[in-house]
Amino acid sequence: MARYWCCYIICVAGLLQPSKKKRKKSNLHKKQTTKKPVSSGFNRASSTCRTDEVILTLPLDKMTGAEFERLLTLYFRDNGYTVKEVGVGGKDGGVDLVITDKRGEKTAVQAKCYADHNKVQVMTVRELVGAKRNHDCILSLIVTTSDLTGPARKEADQFKVDYWHGGLVDSKLRSWGKWTPSNRKVKTTTTKKEQSLSKTVSNIKCSCGAAMVKRKNKAGAEFWGCSNYPTCRKTKAI
C-alpha cells in the first residue's frame, strides 16, 4: 500500500511540473517581447561622415561630430592653416585637429558638436591642456556649437585655452562664405486679403519705385497709394 501511494505522488508531481519545451518557449516569448525598437532618427554621436558637398549645406544641429570636425578642417584650410586631422574615428586623445599657421605655430583643436543644453565640461579642457603637448602645440582651442560650463570657462581662462562657442562659431562659418546651410522649405499660403490686394496693384510706379495700389479713403473714394505704405505715403488720383 505504501508503494502504491509513493507511485501516485510521483505521477502527480510529474504532471504538475512544466516540461522543458514549454519553459523554452515561454522564455523565448519573453525575449521577443522585450526587444527595443531601433530608432531611425538622427544620431549626432554617429561616426558617419557625408561628403564635403553635403556637409557644406548642413545646419550645425544636423551634423555628426565627425562632420563638424570635417567642416572645421575645410574652414581652417581656406584661412591659410595647414590642418592635420588626428581625431578621425573618435580616438582623439583630447585633440581632434592640429592646425599650423604660416609662422609655424601649432594649435591643438578640440571640436564638440553639442546640442545647446549639452555644455562642454571642465574635464574636456583638462584633457586638451594635457594632450596638446603630445602634438608639440603651443596654443589650444575648443570649438563648440553649444557653450562651456562655468568651471570649464574658469579652467580655460586659467590655462589660456581659447574657445569659440555658439553664435561665434555660426558667425565665423557664415562669414567664410562656403558654408551655406539650406533652410527648410516653408509652405506659404496666400490669404484672401493678399489675393484681393494683388488684383488692385497697377502698373503705375510711385516716385520711390514701388507699385501703386488701389485704396479707399474714409469717404469711400478710390485713389492710388504706394504699396510701401506706411514707409512711403505718396498718393495719386485715379
Side-chain angles (χ1 to χ4, degrees):
M1 188 69 179
R3 185 181 296 177
Y4 169 76
W5 281 108
C6 289
C7 293
Y8 176 76
I9 291 169
I10 292 170
C11 290
V12 171
L15 290 171
L16 293 174
Q17 187 176 2
S19 64
K20 291 183 179 179
K21 290 183 180 179
K22 287 183 179 179
R23 283 181 179 177
K24 287 181 180 179
K25 285 183 180 179
S26 62
N27 290 336
L28 181 62
H29 179 69
K30 286 181 181 178
K31 288 179 181 179
Q32 289 175 347
T33 54
T34 54
K35 281 186 178 180
K36 294 181 179 179
V38 179
S39 175
S40 58
F42 172 72
N43 182 11
R44 192 189 291 268
S46 170
S47 58
T48 302
C49 189
R50 285 162 280 191
T51 63
D52 292 350
E53 291 76 13
V54 174
I55 292 172
L56 289 171
T57 65
L58 294 174
L60 295 177
D61 61 350
K62 297 299 180 184
M63 288 185 190
T64 64
E67 289 167 344
F68 183 56
E69 290 173 22
R70 182 60 185 169
L71 179 65
L72 292 178
T73 296
L74 300 174
Y75 169 81
F76 284 120
R77 280 178 181 168
D78 273 12
N79 281 275
Y81 291 88
T82 301
V83 184
K84 182 180 179 182
E85 299 175 76
V86 297
V88 178
K91 298 179 180 180
D92 53 31
V95 177
D96 291 312
L97 308 173
V98 173
I99 58 175
T100 308
D101 63 15
K102 294 177 181 179
R103 295 175 296 179
E105 286 186 350
K106 290 183 178 181
T107 301
V109 181
Q110 176 61 270
K112 293 295 183 184
C113 190
Y114 285 168
D116 292 340
H117 65 275
N118 188 11
K119 295 185 178 182
V120 176
Q121 302 294 318
V122 67
M123 187 55 66
T124 300
V125 180
R126 292 172 182 170
E127 287 177 354
L128 180 59
V129 171
K132 75 174 185 178
R133 299 166 189 163
N134 299 330
H135 299 278
D136 299 322
C137 294
I138 300 172
L139 306 173
S140 52
L141 170 66
I142 293 175
V143 184
T144 176
T145 53
S146 60
D147 203 345
L148 281 68
T149 63
R153 281 175 177 266
K154 288 182 180 179
E155 195 87 2
D157 293 337
Q158 181 182 346
F159 291 97
K160 298 180 180 179
V161 176
D162 197 6
Y163 49 87
W164 300 351
H165 56 89
L168 179 61
V169 176
D170 186 88
S171 177
K172 284 181 177 291
L173 291 173
R174 286 184 186 278
S175 62
W176 169 35
K178 287 191 177 181
W179 179 61
T180 53
S182 56
N183 296 322
R184 294 178 181 177
K185 292 182 179 179
V186 180
K187 292 183 179 180
T188 56
T189 55
T190 306
T191 63
K192 290 182 179 180
K193 186 177 180 181
E194 290 171 335
Q195 288 173 354
S196 61
L197 181 63
S198 64
K199 292 179 182 179
T200 60
V201 176
S202 71
N203 294 325
I204 302 171
K205 296 291 183 181
C206 179
S207 58
C208 71
M212 301 293 280
V213 180
K214 189 181 288 185
R215 302 183 187 277
K216 287 184 180 181
N217 59 22
K218 292 181 180 179
E222 293 183 337
F223 65 94
W224 294 114
C226 183
S227 58
N228 278 338
Y229 178 85
T231 304
C232 179
R233 296 175 180 267
K234 298 287 178 63
T235 61
K236 285 185 181 181
I238 293 178

